[in-house]
Amino acid sequence: MSAIRNMELGAGGRLMKPGFHDGWLTSIAVSEDKTAAIGLRRFSGERYLLHLFAVKRLLANEFKEGNIILDMVLANGIEPRDMSSFRNIAGEPHPSVVEPVRGRMEAAIAQNLRDVVEGRSVFVQIEASYGCELACLCGSAEMVAIGD
């Protein structure tokens, strides 16, 4: 079974279908069973849920009223296009962190990157024009239409 379901990706993992440019990130629900459901609405009004399974790390900053989506990217079997965001979600050490802790953190980032590049994990990134930026490292992702 594919790690990315019900989505068509373009170059670099950019989400092409369904497209959400100028749509909205409407909700974030995280469950104790390491799943998350991200509510999305297209500019044309259709609503979707992006289900994320086996969530390892999730970061959502600046959730506001009217979170406008610029772009969505899902990396699985490829290197993430935004390595700064990937390193941030994968455990980027603060500059004050010293050895041996820094070395362990860098090794964990490298392992997380291998997991994405080799297809064992998915890196999901929602870039915002306004409001919430979201990044998630998870096992798989599935898009489900929920209507208008």
Side-chain angles (χ1 to χ4, degrees):
M1 178 179 276
S2 175
I4 299 174
R5 295 178 295 282
N6 302 329
M7 292 175 266
E8 184 178 312
L9 304 180
R14 182 172 186 228
L15 179 62
M16 303 304 288
K17 289 185 183 175
F20 290 96
H21 178 73
D22 285 343
W24 297 269
L25 189 159
T26 58
S27 64
I28 302 169
V30 179
S31 300
E32 291 178 9
D33 64 354
K34 298 190 178 191
T35 63
I38 311 301
L40 304 166
R41 188 176 58 180
R42 292 178 49 145
F43 185 76
S44 55
E46 299 95 348
R47 294 181 180 275
Y48 290 80
L49 282 177
L50 174 61
H51 292 283
L52 306 173
F53 303 98
V55 172
K56 297 176 187 176
R57 295 177 180 262
L58 186 141
L59 176 64
N61 291 324
E62 299 292 324
F63 191 89
K64 300 177 180 182
E65 192 173 338
N67 302 290
I68 302 170
I69 297 169
L70 174 66
D71 206 0
M72 290 179 63
V73 180
L74 292 93
N76 176 255
I78 60 171
E79 189 170 295
R81 78 175 185 192
D82 184 347
M83 284 304 295
S84 176
S85 289
F86 178 81
R87 287 184 62 81
N88 186 39
I89 193 72
E92 177 78 33
H94 186 273
S96 66
V97 174
V98 296
E99 293 300 338
V101 174
R102 176 172 287 282
R104 287 193 302 267
M105 293 176 82
E106 289 293 340
I109 291 169
Q111 181 60 56
N112 284 324
L113 180 59
R114 277 192 302 278
D115 288 345
V116 169
V117 171
E118 294 173 7
R120 291 183 298 271
S121 293
V122 179
F123 174 62
V124 178
Q125 183 178 19
I126 299 177
E127 300 170 347
S129 296
Y130 172 82
C132 187
E133 298 272 344
L134 184 140
C136 182
L137 188 58
C138 60
S140 63
E142 179 177 24
M143 189 72 70
V144 177
I146 57 173
D148 294 338

